[in-house]
Amino acid sequence: MGPAALAVTRLTLTRFRGYDGARLEPDHRPVVLTGPNGAGKTNLLEAVSFLAPGRGLRGAKLAEVERIGSPTGAGWAVAAVLDTPMGPVEIGTGREAGAHGSGSGDRDRRVVRIDGHPAKGQTVLAEHVAVVWLTPQMDRLFLEGSSGRRRFLDRLVFGFDPAHAGRLSRYEHALRERARLLRDGRVDDGWLTGLEDQMATTGMAVAAARRDVVQRLRAACGRAVGPFPGADLAVQGTVERWLDEGPALAAEDALRQSLRDSRRLDSDTGGAAVGPHKSDLSVRHAQKDMPAALCSTGEQKALLIAIMLANARLLAAERGAAPLLLLDEVAAHLDPHRREALFDEILALGAQAWMTGTDDNVFAPLGSAAKRFHIEDATVTPA
Ligand SMILES: Nc1ncnc2c1ncn2[C@@H]1O[C@H](COP(=O)(O)OP(=O)(O)O)[C@@H](O)[C@H]1O
Ligand SMILES: [Mg+2]
């Protein structure tokens, strides 16, 4: 294992889901969490997922994370000490005590502290930590709508280009503001034009960053690795077509013009007809030359694992460390051959992979190469 790895070395939860409080001290090894159903394994992975920008691996509202039964409005917190290629960092995040509101809107922001200092927003997290996850819900990633695939892709992009998180959040903010103006029937042309200008510049930067990462990932994913299939990746959408057809500035102008032209339509639909929020990640099984959606559930999972591993290999090479990998209930559903190949890859990458399961035996091949914890009734004990 190289010296420059990314690893959580201390994790503390306060009023988080089923946990009143919990503290664990992993090291650079992969982490294995075992325990019965409902013990709190996924909750623990969710806590780690909040070290990245976004709503975590359950896409949760801030209020629903707070432990039921806590004094109302007591808040919740996840604190972590990490080793990163840039040195150690302490991250604190959560919902502050006394935060009220519907769970959306500016009054109910997730609070972030880096080394004890309040950060302006959560997008700064991407500069310190890269996290990707695979959960049982993602079994439907290729079958459902494009928003899940966009979020999956954006998480991959955060790892290569931490500024992507901020751009995406500015784009989405402008998109919401414009929708609000259009809905309220406010025809303040200067205001609308300003928002559309911001959408055009940040939106095309978002599209360009996704395209860049997908092009690099394509090369890394194209060939089968061990028992995992090759994956053929592409981002598809109108803005991507514009980027293919001409210079970035022309694509930006095209988006600006398209937003101006679709104001009336967009005021009816409440969105925007064109933009990177409509793009989709297309994935094909390379050897079968078949869209992922038509592959078997097992093949789809193998494709996702292949993409995650390729992403981790690239990140390790380009940025000095593989991302944290959160693999919820993944190992038990692989045949022994693929399972051992996954373990071998994780160890070769030096990635701190957090793996859950109900059966200890599944993780036996890892021997002492993994750090183990047992979880029962929201109590974590080193095993
Ligand atoms: N906000 C909350 N407050 C208290 N308990 C919660 C909250 N959210 C979820 N839980 C509980 O957490 C328990 C453990 O969930 P989970 O981590 O998914 O278990 P598993 O070990 O099977 O992955 C569930 O029984 C659920 O009821
Ligand atoms: Mg679970």
Side-chain angles (χ1 to χ4, degrees), residues 41-42 58 328-329:
K41 303 179 295 296
T42 303
R58 283 196 168 101
D328 197 14
E329 309 277 346

Side-chain angles (χ1 to χ4, degrees), residues 17-19 35-44 58 64-68 328-329:
R17 298 283 185 189
Y19 295 93
N37 292 329
K41 303 179 295 296
T42 303
N43 290 345
L44 204 65
R58 283 196 168 101
E64 78 189 54
V65 175
E66 182 172 306
R67 186 167 190 248
I68 293 165
D328 197 14
E329 309 277 346

Side-chain angles (χ1 to χ4, degrees), residues 22-355:
R23 177 185 166 114
L24 53 161
E25 299 194 334
D27 48 39
H28 281 232
R29 289 176 291 171
V31 179
V32 168
L33 307 171
T34 52
N37 292 329
K41 303 179 295 296
T42 303
N43 290 345
L44 204 65
L45 296 198
E46 185 186 25
V48 177
S49 72
F50 279 117
L51 300 177
R55 292 167 169 276
L57 61 69
R58 283 196 168 101
K61 295 215 166 81
L62 293 185
E64 78 189 54
V65 175
E66 182 172 306
R67 186 167 190 248
I68 293 165
S70 309
T72 313
W76 57 266
V78 174
V81 179
L82 295 108
D83 282 337
T84 81
M86 297 179 299
V89 67
E90 255 186 81
I91 292 176
T93 188
R95 189 182 198 224
E96 294 230 293
H100 295 295
S102 59
S104 60
D106 287 357
R107 283 156 284 101
D108 199 24
R109 280 221 174 123
R110 178 147 75 92
V111 172
V112 172
R113 283 194 189 76
I114 308 287
D115 289 328
H117 304 293
K120 260 180 116 180
Q122 44 172 294
T123 56
V124 68
L125 289 170
E127 288 169 26
H128 299 276
V129 193
V131 192
V132 287
W133 52 81
L134 197 51
T135 67
Q137 287 71 35
M138 287 167 69
D139 285 353
R140 302 197 51 78
L141 192 77
F142 296 121
L143 306 176
E144 291 176 342
S146 59
S147 70
R149 289 185 293 278
R150 270 195 306 277
R151 277 198 301 276
F152 175 68
L153 171 59
D154 285 324
R155 279 196 295 282
L156 300 178
V157 179
F158 292 168
F160 294 93
D161 182 1
H164 186 64
R167 278 183 225 120
L168 195 59
S169 133
R170 286 196 300 281
Y171 174 78
E172 285 168 352
H173 180 76
L175 175 62
R176 280 194 304 273
E177 281 291 294
R178 175 177 176 272
R180 203 163 53 92
L181 286 191
L182 291 175
R183 191 184 55 229
D184 296 352
R186 308 252 279 279
V187 274
D188 182 328
D189 189 66
W191 197 351
L192 274 173
T193 303
L195 288 170
E196 287 166 358
D197 187 56
Q198 180 164 18
M199 286 175 70
T201 51
T202 56
M204 291 317 297
V206 163
R210 285 175 180 162
R211 205 163 89 116
D212 180 52
V213 167
V214 164
Q215 273 167 4
R216 274 182 286 165
L217 270 177
R218 251 177 100 95
C221 288
R223 276 165 291 112
V225 174
F228 296 104
D232 189 5
L233 308 181
V235 206
Q236 291 177 336
T238 307
V239 292
E240 282 72 23
R241 213 182 56 238
W242 289 338
L243 280 175
D244 283 338
E245 284 168 358
L249 276 179
E252 219 179 273
D253 286 339
L255 180 53
R256 202 177 279 110
Q257 188 60 46
S258 149
L259 289 166
R260 193 171 206 21
D261 294 343
S262 68
R263 282 179 188 173
R264 180 168 311 162
L265 175 71
D266 294 346
S267 72
D268 292 339
T269 62
V274 175
H277 62 290
K278 297 275 186 182
S279 302
D280 197 359
L281 172 67
S282 120
V283 177
R284 294 178 71 84
H285 189 301
Q287 286 76 33
K288 297 193 139 187
D289 192 23
M290 191 175 277
L294 297 184
C295 292
S296 76
T297 311
E299 286 170 334
Q300 293 182 26
K301 196 148 213 161
L303 279 168
L304 285 171
I305 294 175
I307 296 169
M308 285 184 69
L309 291 175
N311 168 64
R313 277 195 300 277
L314 265 186
L315 268 187
E318 289 188 17
R319 293 184 53 96
L324 302 177
L325 304 175
L326 309 180
L327 305 176
D328 197 14
E329 309 277 346
V330 170
H333 299 286
L334 295 173
D335 57 57
H337 176 52
R338 286 198 172 78
R339 189 186 305 151
E340 290 195 30
L342 174 64
F343 293 162
D344 288 346
E345 269 287 305
I346 286 168
L347 293 175
L349 285 162
Q352 193 184 49
W354 295 63
M355 294 176 273

